[in-house]
Amino acid sequence: SMISNRLGFDYVPYTIEIYKNKIVSKCPCFINKNTEFITAYQIMKCNEKHRNFKDYETYVNTLSEMGIENAREKVENMFILDYLIMNEDRHMNNFGIIRDVNTLKWFDVAPIFDNGDCLKIQDYGNEITTYGYGRVFYDIVPFDDMLYLIENLNRIDTSKLDGIVEDYKALLYKYQNYTNLTERKINIECFILQRQI
């Protein structure tokens, strides 16, 4: 949420709460009685599966043809966020579009949501392993390959993320009693986030 906010992405804001002595995330619903969420899976199920970046182009072109403005940039923003936080779980049911339930008009790209499966590390003493693969439609690719999807990466002002690693670290320490993250793991996660930025 902090990254999306700073970069001006359309996103569902998540907050942290303590519920029954457990840490949970909380967010508002991004649809209402007049709108519905249509997943990328539902949109793509009638299209040929390429298992490469052609699926991405097909999806973006479909959204544009259905009248969604700036579809490419909005979908790019999701993959930029996934790259930055190394989100491994961007399956095709946790992104899509919002549609008007009365007219069936495609309204907009759904805000970015469900970003929890990220910054995973396995710590084996002196050896640190970071998982380096995320999802792009039907395929699993190295995170670095996601950047090839972005037409103009220069439009992202990473200086807006100055200090965010320190904010993230403070958040991890604030809830350390609930997460049981070691200081070493907190430092590694912050190092990885800075590296991705």
Side-chain angles (χ1 to χ4, degrees), residues 67-82:
I68 294 182
E69 294 182 13
N70 303 316
R72 181 175 301 276
E73 182 176 305
K74 292 172 183 176
V75 176
E76 282 181 356
N77 290 346
M78 178 186 71
F79 285 116
I80 290 168
L81 179 65
D82 286 350

Side-chain angles (χ1 to χ4, degrees), residues 43 59-72 74-75 96-99 105-110:
I43 293 168
Y59 181 74
V60 168
N61 290 335
T62 300
L63 269 55
S64 294
E65 288 165 10
M66 293 300 291
I68 294 182
E69 294 182 13
N70 303 316
R72 181 175 301 276
K74 292 172 183 176
V75 176
I97 60 106
I98 298 174
R99 183 171 75 173
K105 181 182 184 319
W106 292 23
F107 177 67
D108 204 351
V109 171

Side-chain angles (χ1 to χ4, degrees), residues 53-60 72 75-76 79 137 149:
F53 291 158
K54 286 183 183 177
D55 295 312
Y56 169 75
E57 289 300 327
T58 299
Y59 181 74
V60 168
R72 181 175 301 276
V75 176
E76 282 181 356
F79 285 116
F137 291 84
L149 299 172

Side-chain angles (χ1 to χ4, degrees), residues 91-116:
H91 57 78
M92 293 175 61
N93 286 318
N94 70 11
F95 68 100
I97 60 106
I98 298 174
R99 183 171 75 173
D100 186 300
V101 296
N102 301 303
T103 66
L104 303 184
K105 181 182 184 319
W106 292 23
F107 177 67
D108 204 351
V109 171
I112 303 169
F113 71 98
D114 194 0
N115 312 300

Side-chain angles (χ1 to χ4, degrees), residues 15-161:
T15 55
I16 295 172
E17 303 286 338
I18 304 300
Y19 178 73
K20 294 186 178 180
N21 209 34
K22 290 186 179 177
I23 190 168
V24 296
S25 63
K26 186 172 95 172
C27 69
C29 184
F30 61 84
I31 57 170
N32 58 44
K33 66 180 182 176
N34 295 312
T35 59
E36 63 185 341
F37 173 60
I38 307 296
T39 68
Y41 173 78
Q42 291 169 303
I43 293 168
M44 293 291 287
K45 69 181 177 182
C46 296
N47 291 301
E48 179 184 355
K49 296 178 180 74
H50 296 284
R51 295 195 64 81
N52 60 36
F53 291 158
K54 286 183 183 177
D55 295 312
Y56 169 75
E57 289 300 327
T58 299
Y59 181 74
V60 168
N61 290 335
T62 300
L63 269 55
S64 294
E65 288 165 10
M66 293 300 291
I68 294 182
E69 294 182 13
N70 303 316
R72 181 175 301 276
E73 182 176 305
K74 292 172 183 176
V75 176
E76 282 181 356
N77 290 346
M78 178 186 71
F79 285 116
I80 290 168
L81 179 65
D82 286 350
Y83 171 82
L84 289 171
I85 64 175
M86 297 180 71
N87 181 9
E88 297 179 345
D89 194 33
R90 185 65 65 197
H91 57 78
M92 293 175 61
N93 286 318
N94 70 11
F95 68 100
I97 60 106
I98 298 174
R99 183 171 75 173
D100 186 300
V101 296
N102 301 303
T103 66
L104 303 184
K105 181 182 184 319
W106 292 23
F107 177 67
D108 204 351
V109 171
I112 303 169
F113 71 98
D114 194 0
N115 312 300
D117 203 6
C118 61
L119 287 171
K120 283 188 170 180
I121 60 168
Q122 295 294 321
D123 188 351
Y124 302 106
N126 292 329
E127 182 185 341
I128 300 165
T129 303
T130 59
Y131 295 127
Y133 295 89
R135 293 176 185 254
V136 176
F137 291 84
Y138 304 101
D139 208 4
I140 296 175
V141 302
F143 280 108
D144 287 352
D145 286 2
M146 287 183 176
L147 297 182
Y148 294 118
L149 299 172
I150 315 305
E151 281 192 342
N152 179 17
L153 202 51
N154 290 329
R155 70 180 174 82
I156 303 300
D157 181 2
T158 56
S159 71
K160 292 180 178 179
L161 299 178

